């Protein structure tokens, strides 16, 4: 991407403000506030329909406004933003390592990207990877994860499947457990608490940092990988308490994979406004001073 192209205004479909935890970003920018910038998809869409996150991959998301880096910087300062994440099907067309470097030079805050397939964005600080087990190629994501190194951007893997079928999650739980990558499991039809609890216990044997997001059922606590004491308490989208000494367990002093902690609990003003959900804005209505 050329320098001139970097200077072009960024097309935006939707602007959101949320906790890091509402993005299921449990180990990076904990307790922080994120700016969500959804890039239009240019009439392309991902083959997923039933999960809430599929809305950001919708082909009907058009550019409602263009923002330059100065305008984004003003929003960051006005809203007390701790990090930015670029999302949407259009991310592949616009966001590059060169662009990320440029925006980090201007804003000096962590920059993340949400992806749905392997994408070499080594300049990003963090990546949220949406993997739809029913629709995507499992071999590609396994290859991507096997090549993952700790020097790469921090990554949290979101796994989507209809039912709590343990065999669907075993291969991905094994490789992420070896790499220390947290996984978040989203289920459409959870079949009651028993099967989901069994799934959680089995998968957590392979990956300590396993979390469950299902209708009327959730497992959001982080436990120390050494002594198994709870170190982070959450509700959906809200960090209630982070019991760490820096990034070490309060009980046994083991270093745990928490990066760039902002606060030991979510911003209370934001929680009162959002109740743990993302607050979405039409970018045309956002006042930039």
């Amino acid at each position: 991407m050329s320098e001139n192209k970097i200077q072009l205004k960024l097309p935006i479909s939707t602007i959101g403000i949320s906790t890091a935890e509402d993005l299921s970003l449990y180990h990076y920018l904990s307790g922080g506030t994120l700016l969500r910038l959804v890039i239009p998809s240019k009439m392309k869409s991902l083959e997923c329909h039933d999960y809430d996150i599929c809305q950001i991959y919708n082909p009907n998301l058009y550019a409602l406004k263009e923002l330059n880096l100065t305008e984004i910087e003003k929003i960051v300062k006005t809203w007390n933003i701790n990090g930015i994440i670029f999302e949407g099907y259009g991310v592949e067309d616009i966001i590059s390592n060169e662009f990320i470097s440029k925006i980090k030079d201007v804003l000096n805050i962590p920059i993340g990207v949400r992806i749905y397939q392997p994408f070499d964005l080594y300049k990003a600080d963090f990546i949220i990877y949406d993997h739809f087990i029913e629709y995507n190629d499992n071999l590609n994501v396994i290859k991507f994860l096997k090549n993952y190194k700790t020097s790469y951007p921090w990554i949290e893997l979101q796994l989507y499947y209809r039912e709590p079928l343990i065999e669907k999650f075993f291969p991905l739980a094994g490789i992420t457990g070896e790499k220390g990558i947290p996984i978040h499991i989203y289920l459409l039809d959870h079949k009651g608490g028993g099967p989901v609890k069994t799934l959680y216990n089995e998968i957590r044997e392979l990956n300590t940092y396993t979390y469950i997001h299902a209708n009327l059922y959730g497992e959001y606590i982080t436990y120390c990988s050494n002594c198994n004491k709870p170190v982070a308490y959450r509700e959906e989208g809200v960090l209630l308490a982070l019991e760490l000494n820096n990034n070490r367990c309060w009980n046994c002093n083991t270093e745990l994979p928490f990066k760039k902690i902002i606060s030991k609990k979510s911003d209370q003003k934001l929680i009162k406004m959002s109740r743990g959900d993302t607050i979405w804005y039409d970018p045309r209505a956002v006042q930039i001073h």
Side-chain angles (χ1 to χ4, degrees), residues 140-158:
N140 274 344
V141 70
I142 289 173
K143 181 180 178 180
F144 174 80
L145 295 171
K146 282 184 176 180
N147 292 329
Y148 178 79
K149 299 178 181 179
T150 55
S151 59
Y152 292 178
W154 178 254
I155 186 169
E156 301 209 22
L157 182 64
Q158 324 289 311

Side-chain angles (χ1 to χ4, degrees), residues 190-209:
H190 59 77
K191 304 291 185 184
V196 181
K197 186 68 175 179
T198 299
L199 171 70
Y200 173 70
N201 290 334
E202 293 284 343
I203 297 302
R204 195 165 168 264
E205 288 290 321
L206 298 174
N207 187 334
T208 300
Y209 306 111

Side-chain angles (χ1 to χ4, degrees), residues 266-282:
S266 297
D267 182 89
Q268 296 306 295
K269 290 182 179 179
L270 179 58
I271 296 305
K272 287 180 181 178
M273 293 170 56
S274 69
R275 297 183 180 179
D277 294 327
T278 296
I279 303 173
W280 292 108
Y281 295 95
D282 184 325

Side-chain angles (χ1 to χ4, degrees), residues 64-237:
L64 298 180
K65 190 169 184 174
E66 291 184 328
L67 296 177
N68 60 35
L69 295 188
T70 300
E71 291 169 323
I72 294 174
E73 183 179 24
K74 289 179 179 178
I75 294 173
V76 166
K77 290 180 178 178
T78 301
W79 291 0
N80 296 316
I81 296 298
N82 304 118
I84 295 176
I85 185 165
F86 294 101
E87 306 176 71
Y89 208 116
V91 161
E92 282 194 331
D93 299 321
I94 294 175
I95 306 302
S96 67
N97 287 303
E98 191 178 2
F99 180 86
I100 293 172
S101 291
K102 180 67 178 182
I103 198 168
K104 285 168 71 173
D105 287 344
V106 174
L107 299 181
N108 195 31
I109 61 173
I111 303 297
V113 180
R114 190 166 206 147
I115 61 175
Y116 62 92
Q117 63 183 6
F119 193 6
D120 184 18
L121 289 171
Y122 57 87
K123 287 291 186 179
D125 295 294
F126 62 95
I127 291 174
I128 294 177
Y129 193 136
D130 292 319
H131 180 60
F132 302 90
I133 294 175
E134 296 165 87
Y135 308 122
N136 294 146
D137 187 342
N138 285 338
L139 293 179
N140 274 344
V141 70
I142 289 173
K143 181 180 178 180
F144 174 80
L145 295 171
K146 282 184 176 180
N147 292 329
Y148 178 79
K149 299 178 181 179
T150 55
S151 59
Y152 292 178
W154 178 254
I155 186 169
E156 301 209 22
L157 182 64
Q158 324 289 311
L159 299 175
Y160 301 84
Y161 196 69
R162 293 183 175 277
E163 301 176 68
L165 298 180
I166 296 172
E167 61 270 22
K168 294 292 183 180
F169 299 96
F170 262 143
L172 293 165
I175 186 64
T176 53
E178 293 172 8
K179 299 287 187 175
I181 297 171
I183 56 174
H184 301 261
I185 296 174
Y186 291 81
L187 301 168
L188 283 178
D189 185 3
H190 59 77
K191 304 291 185 184
V196 181
K197 186 68 175 179
T198 299
L199 171 70
Y200 173 70
N201 290 334
E202 293 284 343
I203 297 302
R204 195 165 168 264
E205 288 290 321
L206 298 174
N207 187 334
T208 300
Y209 306 111
T210 296
Y211 307 98
I212 302 287
H213 308 259
N215 185 29
L216 302 179
Y217 187 95
E219 294 285 355
Y220 312 127
I221 294 176
T222 299
Y223 297 90
C224 175
S225 57
N226 181 55
C227 68
N228 205 38
K229 295 292 186 181
V231 296
Y233 298 88
R234 305 178 187 89
E235 294 177 350
E236 188 75 75

